[in-house]
Amino acid sequence: MRWILSAVALFALVGCGSSESAEPEAPASPSASASPTPAVTPEAASPTGAPEPQALSEFRCSAGEDGSPWTASGLLSNSGKDAATYQVSVYVGPLDGDTREVRTLRIDPINPGESDRFDLDDVPAGGDTCHVQVLRTP
């Protein structure tokens, strides 16, 4: 149950942390020929898909030596009948409702009955507890 709550809280975090504004900037001086600046798309979109924590095994999350960034790795297994694409998101720190940066990796389709290893470097850390979320994406 605790893992599910962590995953739900992490779900709200995924896609956050972009320093870009979603609002278009106004031109410095208006002119008749100026076209509006398009809105900036966030770096990481909100996740879409169904939580599938059972696809993850051999998960490891550890801090680097002497303050270097955290890393995470694991094995994703597709037990479904069709090929599946997965999204793995990892965050190190408290689940306190604040917006935090999350490291996300999209895994290419895995065929039914097969597995694929993944490695994530430079996982953002704001504490010492590692949280992971696995989504099966459309």
Side-chain angles (χ1 to χ4, degrees):
M1 180 70 172
R2 182 176 169 175
W3 190 94
I4 292 171
L5 292 175
S6 295
V8 169
L10 183 61
F11 179 80
L13 298 174
V14 177
C16 299
S18 172
S19 62
E20 296 178 339
S21 171
E23 301 264 308
E25 292 183 21
S29 60
S31 72
S33 63
S35 60
T37 304
V40 175
T41 304
E43 287 179 26
S46 295
T48 58
E52 195 162 321
Q54 69 274 15
L56 178 65
S57 62
E58 300 178 24
F59 181 71
R60 303 283 183 266
C61 187
S62 58
E65 295 181 23
D66 300 322
S68 61
W70 284 63
T71 60
S73 63
L75 181 70
L76 289 173
S77 300
N78 180 1
S79 60
K81 295 179 182 177
D82 298 315
T85 301
Y86 294 91
Q87 178 176 300
V88 178
S89 299
V90 180
Y91 162 69
V92 179
L95 294 176
D96 55 10
D98 287 346
T99 300
R100 307 254 192 241
E101 185 179 356
V102 175
R103 181 80 159 95
T104 300
L105 178 66
R106 189 168 177 95
I107 309 296
D108 290 334
I110 300 173
N111 290 323
E114 294 184 7
S115 299
D116 193 9
R117 291 200 172 280
F118 69 89
D119 293 294
L120 279 169
D121 296 324
D122 300 323
V123 175
D128 59 2
T129 303
C130 191
H131 306 279
V132 61
Q133 176 192 51
V134 176
L135 296 177
R136 184 181 184 124
T137 59

